[in-house]
Amino acid sequence: MIIAADNLRITLPPIASAVAQSAPAAIRETALRCRDAGARAIDINSGPLGRDPAAGMTFLVRTVQEAVDLPLIRNTTGLAAVAAGLAACKRRAVINGVSLERRRREGFLPLARQYDADIVGYLLGPDGHVPADAAGRMEAAVALFNECERAGIAPERLIIDPVVAPLVWQDGNRQNMAVLEVIRTLPDLLGFPVRSIAGLSNLTTGAPDADTRRRFQCAFLPMLAAAGLDVILMNVLDPSVMQIAEDCGRIAAGTIFTWR
Amino acid sequence: MIIAADNLRITLPPIASAVAQSAPAAIRETALRCRDAGARAIDINSGPLGRDPAAGMTFLVRTVQEAVDLPLIRNTTGLAAVAAGLAACKRRAVINGVSLERRRREGFLPLARQYDADIVGYLLGPDGHVPADAAGRMEAAVALFNECERAGIAPERLIIDPVVAPLVWQDGNRQNMAVLEVIRTLPDLLGFPVRSIAGLSNLTTGAPDADTRRRFQCAFLPMLAAAGLDVILMNVLDPSVMQIAEDCGRIAAGTIFTWR
């Protein structure tokens, strides 16, 4: 299981003002802290990038790449920003993400093909809503692979995100058990080693405090690891959750176990 | 997931001397602490019971029953002690356990039938060894259900223990992934809601210290819970592992989630 940092968020004031002022220090520091904490990839969650999204994304990607030599995942809805980020990227990029929503499909798939990028595909319906059950998620996955084929993208480029549900949702528990089932069964269903990614922070949206967030993330992360998840997108700067992620890797690795 | 305490062990000096002197205080105190920590069943792991095993077991069962109103799981290899424990038991008892080893089968199955007790069945080969893979464990499960049928015991009385492997075993990781697969698939394979139990402490046999034990128990327990485990046998007096066990119950319960 590859651990990817979700810590570089433009919604955080120090990152937002670093981008606004083209001042690399806070971005570089966050990237270095993530790497030192054990992240093997970094998600650049740029959100809104102000008046010139392409320039903002180029600056973000260049700054992170100068600080750390890690794969980058680009997470934004702005097409111009994604294109600029892909152009600035030294390694194979990951676009986060496509779904069956027409706007996302038609925008991101041609870009993924042009840059031979990996692309994260969310298991959402064409209306952007979470499917009701595991079967609905499987259907969305099959439809996404078909869309990729139609766009000339190899199926191996698509990384499936079954969309972890907030526990506070009325059917959050049931949804998250469906998420585990999809991760576990998708490779058999589609007949090749489908890669999967999941965002852990979403689980604890609305949690009353940091300790509660940590507790439930620590309880759900091993469930994802045992289901065979390939990439976990998480707060790598929480030592408790990182410890569990690394220990899960040791248990579920399929290799000989070591305590450290 | 029902949390059962594995803390009442005759190998612990205070419990051993309590049994030897027929002094109930230490036994009662351990049972009360387990109940207060959240245990919903208590395993009486009597081990060797000295010169009069039947009297020792009767004393243990009566003392625990006087202290707490919880189901008891009896864990010993001594036939006379098990029989005495069953006779002293007020609720439906659980015998821990039978396997395909002739000695255990022929000893415990008639007792289980006589007392209409639940019985834990270990997925071991007839030679007492752990099977090589998940398929070997499935075969052992089918054979155990057949043995129960032959002995006139209803299949619902058998609780399957797929035998958690110590991580330090050369193939410990692989064995434990097979354990998860067996817990997950056995109900479908056999066509009824087969109950399962697993002992968590076995996972960390040989761990260098308490913190390492705790870390890996916290990482593996959610994997067991997500696989659908019915009873977890564990050290209920470790607050970190108990917290994870309770949180896993909240996530994997199939009911509406609550933070507390």
Side-chain angles (χ1 to χ4, degrees), chain B residues 37-63:
Chain B
R40 283 180 51 206
I42 293 183
D43 184 67
I44 300 185
N45 193 332
S46 70
L49 275 162
R51 269 166 303 181
D52 190 348
M57 182 56 101
T58 303
F59 172 70
L60 264 168
V61 168
R62 288 204 176 133
T63 306

Side-chain angles (χ1 to χ4, degrees), chain A residues 195-241:
Chain A
R195 285 185 294 167
S196 52
I197 186 171
L200 191 59
S201 300
N202 215 32
L203 183 81
T204 49
T205 301
D209 53 57
D211 183 55
T212 305
R213 258 198 302 282
R214 183 174 301 125
R215 272 170 44 205
F216 286 97
Q217 291 184 12
C218 284
F220 191 56
L221 180 48
M223 299 184 185
L224 289 165
L229 185 73
D230 294 290
V231 185
I232 182 77
L233 189 60
M234 59 175 276
N235 172 9
V236 300
L237 300 179
D238 184 315
S240 308
V241 188

Side-chain angles (χ1 to χ4, degrees), chain A residues 167-170 172-174 176-177 180 184 203-209 212-213 215-220 222-223 225-227 243-244 246-260, chain B residues 167-170 172-174 176-177 180 184 203-209 212-213 215-220 222-223 225-227 243-244 246-260:
Chain A
L167 285 168
V168 289
W169 281 7
Q170 194 183 329
N173 270 354
R174 209 170 42 77
N176 286 324
M177 291 304 109
L180 298 179
R184 197 162 51 227
L203 183 81
T204 49
T205 301
D209 53 57
T212 305
R213 258 198 302 282
R215 272 170 44 205
F216 286 97
Q217 291 184 12
C218 284
F220 191 56
M223 299 184 185
Q243 182 73 71
I244 281 265
E246 290 175 349
D247 291 343
C248 284
R250 290 189 184 96
I251 292 178
T255 54
I256 290 180
F257 176 83
T258 53
W259 292 117
R260 282 166 206 291
Chain B
L167 286 168
V168 289
W169 281 7
Q170 192 183 331
N173 270 355
R174 209 170 42 76
N176 286 324
M177 291 304 110
L180 299 180
R184 199 163 49 228
L203 183 80
T204 48
T205 302
D209 52 57
T212 306
R213 256 197 304 282
R215 272 172 42 206
F216 286 96
Q217 291 184 11
C218 285
F220 192 57
M223 301 184 184
Q243 182 72 71
I244 282 266
E246 290 174 351
D247 291 343
C248 284
R250 289 188 186 96
I251 293 178
T255 54
I256 290 181
F257 176 82
T258 52
W259 293 116
R260 285 166 205 292

Side-chain angles (χ1 to χ4, degrees), chain B residues 103-224:
Chain B
R103 185 176 52 86
R104 283 182 173 261
R105 261 194 298 129
E106 294 184 349
F108 290 148
L109 287 179
L111 274 179
R113 176 156 193 230
Q114 185 185 341
Y115 288 94
D116 193 25
D118 280 343
I119 186 156
V120 172
Y122 296 119
L123 300 190
L124 301 172
D127 57 0
H129 289 137
V130 170
D133 53 17
R137 284 184 164 84
M138 301 288 190
E139 274 171 41
V142 171
L144 273 175
F145 278 103
N146 289 341
E147 291 293 344
C148 281
E149 197 180 8
R150 219 166 286 150
I153 295 170
E156 295 79 27
R157 297 271 72 81
L158 185 61
I159 306 170
I160 290 295
D161 185 334
V163 189
V164 169
L167 286 168
V168 289
W169 281 7
Q170 192 183 331
D171 59 350
N173 270 355
R174 209 170 42 76
Q175 290 280 1
N176 286 324
M177 291 304 110
V179 163
L180 299 180
E181 190 183 336
V182 166
I183 294 169
R184 199 163 49 228
T185 55
L186 211 47
D188 272 349
L189 187 79
L190 295 175
F192 72 99
V194 178
R195 284 186 294 168
S196 52
I197 186 171
L200 191 59
S201 301
N202 215 31
L203 183 80
T204 48
T205 302
D209 52 57
D211 183 54
T212 306
R213 256 197 304 282
R214 183 174 302 126
R215 272 172 42 206
F216 286 96
Q217 291 184 11
C218 285
F220 192 57
L221 179 48
M223 301 184 184
L224 290 165

Side-chain angles (χ1 to χ4, degrees), chain A:
Chain A
M1 196 173 59
I2 294 169
I3 298 169
D6 73 358
N7 301 76
L8 202 71
R9 298 169 182 251
I10 200 145
T11 46
L12 300 174
I15 304 297
S17 71
V19 173
Q21 297 161 32
S22 297
I27 298 164
R28 185 180 297 148
E29 193 214 348
T30 302
L32 288 169
R33 284 177 67 205
C34 289
R35 184 200 63 189
D36 294 347
R40 283 179 52 206
I42 294 184
D43 184 65
I44 299 185
N45 193 333
S46 69
L49 276 164
R51 270 165 302 179
D52 190 349
M57 183 56 102
T58 305
F59 172 70
L60 264 168
V61 168
R62 288 204 177 134
T63 306
V64 175
Q65 280 184 154
E66 276 163 27
V68 298
D69 184 25
L70 291 175
L72 303 183
I73 304 171
R74 227 66 31 67
N75 190 342
T76 178
T77 51
L79 209 57
V82 169
L86 288 166
C89 206
K90 288 190 285 189
R91 291 168 169 254
R92 186 196 295 271
V94 186
I95 304 175
N96 187 8
V98 77
S99 77
L100 294 175
E101 291 172 275
R102 174 185 279 241
R103 185 177 53 86
R104 284 182 173 260
R105 260 194 298 128
E106 293 184 350
F108 291 148
L109 288 179
L111 276 179
R113 178 158 191 229
Q114 184 185 341
Y115 287 94
D116 193 25
D118 281 343
I119 187 156
V120 172
Y122 296 119
L123 300 189
L124 301 172
D127 57 359
H129 289 136
V130 170
D133 53 17
R137 283 183 163 84
M138 301 289 191
E139 274 172 40
V142 171
L144 274 175
F145 278 102
N146 289 341
E147 290 294 343
C148 282
E149 198 180 9
R150 221 167 284 151
I153 295 170
E156 295 77 30
R157 297 272 70 80
L158 185 61
I159 307 170
I160 290 296
D161 184 334
V163 189
V164 169
L167 285 168
V168 289
W169 281 7
Q170 194 183 329
D171 60 348
N173 270 354
R174 209 170 42 77
Q175 290 281 2
N176 286 324
M177 291 304 109
V179 163
L180 298 179
E181 190 183 334
V182 166
I183 295 170
R184 197 162 51 227
T185 55
L186 212 47
D188 272 350
L189 187 78
L190 294 175
F192 72 98
V194 178
R195 285 185 294 167
S196 52
I197 186 171
L200 191 59
S201 300
N202 215 32
L203 183 81
T204 49
T205 301
D209 53 57
D211 183 55
T212 305
R213 258 198 302 282
R214 183 174 301 125
R215 272 170 44 205
F216 286 97
Q217 291 184 12
C218 284
F220 191 56
L221 180 48
M223 299 184 185
L224 289 165
L229 185 73
D230 294 290
V231 185
I232 182 77
L233 189 60
M234 59 175 276
N235 172 9
V236 300
L237 300 179
D238 184 315
S240 308
V241 188
M242 267 309 267
Q243 182 73 71
I244 281 265
E246 290 175 349
D247 291 343
C248 284
R250 290 189 184 96
I251 292 178
T255 54
I256 290 180
F257 176 83
T258 53
W259 292 117
R260 282 166 206 291

Side-chain angles (χ1 to χ4, degrees), chain B residues 69-81:
Chain B
D69 184 26
L70 292 174
L72 304 182
I73 303 170
R74 226 65 31 67
N75 189 342
T76 178
T77 51
L79 210 56

